[in-house]
């Protein structure tokens, strides 16, 4: 059991993680995350793909093409309940970006940075006043 473990809304898709510590935590304000989450942003925790295990026959993938990347984002979701669960970037496919809202307990999570602040909603910018996080007007540099 890891504090990073979680599942979708209906519980059919579950995931477990072999580590307690994410590589990175953050908030993504991109329009694709807003649309797929139906909310202001995604809360994400990155882990090595080798440490990530997912189960559930209703897992499906929808690819989106980001503005800045040559490769698609593989957005994994539960086709039964519609919960977005995690994304894998085609040009950095050894990393899994877990949607932290699906974790069993995300209360410990401290977002370290915010990405795509250029498309953040005016009413969801309060956190940008904090200077403890890094801010990226567009996507993260994963090179
Ligand atoms: Zn589900
Ligand atoms: Zn995003």
């Amino acid at each position: 059991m890891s504090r990073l473990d979680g599942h979708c809304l209906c519980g059919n898709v579950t995931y477990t993680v072999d580590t307690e510590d994410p590589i990175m935590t953050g908030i993504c304000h991109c329009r694709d995350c807003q649309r797929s989450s139906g909310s202001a942003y995604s809360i994400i925790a990155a882990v090595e793909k080798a440490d990530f295990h997912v189960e559930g026959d209703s897992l499906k993938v929808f690819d989106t093409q980001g503005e800045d990347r040559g490769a698609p984002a593989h957005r994994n979701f539960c086709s039964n309940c519609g919960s977005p669960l995690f994304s894998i970037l085609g040009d950095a496919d050894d990393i899994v970006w877990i949607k932290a809202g699906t974790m069993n307990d995300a209360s410990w999570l401290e977002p370290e940075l915010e990405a795509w602040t250029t498309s953040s909603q005016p009413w969801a910018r309060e956190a940008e006043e904090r200077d403890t996080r890094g801010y990226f007007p567009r996507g993260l540099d994963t090179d």
Side-chain angles (χ1 to χ4, degrees):
M1 281 255 290
S2 164
R3 62 180 182 170
L4 288 157
D5 294 353
H7 61 82
C8 65
L9 182 59
C10 75
N12 197 54
V13 179
T14 59
Y15 58 86
T16 55
V17 182
D18 292 339
T19 178
E20 294 286 335
D21 297 308
I23 301 164
M24 179 193 290
T25 59
I27 286 171
C28 185
H29 295 275
C30 84
R31 290 292 292 129
D32 288 349
C33 280
Q34 290 174 357
R35 207 172 285 282
S36 72
S37 69
S39 185
Y41 47 75
S42 287
I43 309 159
I44 49 180
V47 299
E48 303 263 1
K49 195 174 170 186
D51 292 332
F52 183 80
H53 312 282
V54 62
E55 278 180 39
D57 57 10
S58 56
L59 186 68
K60 274 204 170 175
V61 184
F62 182 76
D63 287 355
T64 54
Q65 186 64 53
E67 288 174 42
D68 283 2
R69 288 179 179 277
H74 307 299
R75 293 174 173 271
N76 288 256
F77 65 100
C78 173
S79 62
N80 188 46
C81 67
S83 306
L85 286 155
F86 61 92
S87 294
I88 296 171
L89 301 175
D91 56 352
D93 63 2
D94 53 341
I95 302 292
V96 175
W97 301 86
I98 300 170
K99 305 289 186 190
T102 63
M103 288 176 187
N104 296 331
D105 175 16
S107 61
W108 55 271
L109 194 137
E110 278 284 341
E112 293 161 357
L113 54 87
E114 304 196 19
W116 282 100
T117 56
T118 191
S119 52
S120 63
Q121 297 297 335
W123 37 266
R125 280 179 192 152
E126 191 180 356
E128 291 181 40
E129 308 303 320
R130 301 179 198 167
D131 49 31
T132 52
R133 291 181 193 155
Y135 292 100
F136 299 84
R138 296 177 71 89
L140 298 178
D141 186 358
T142 51
D143 294 335

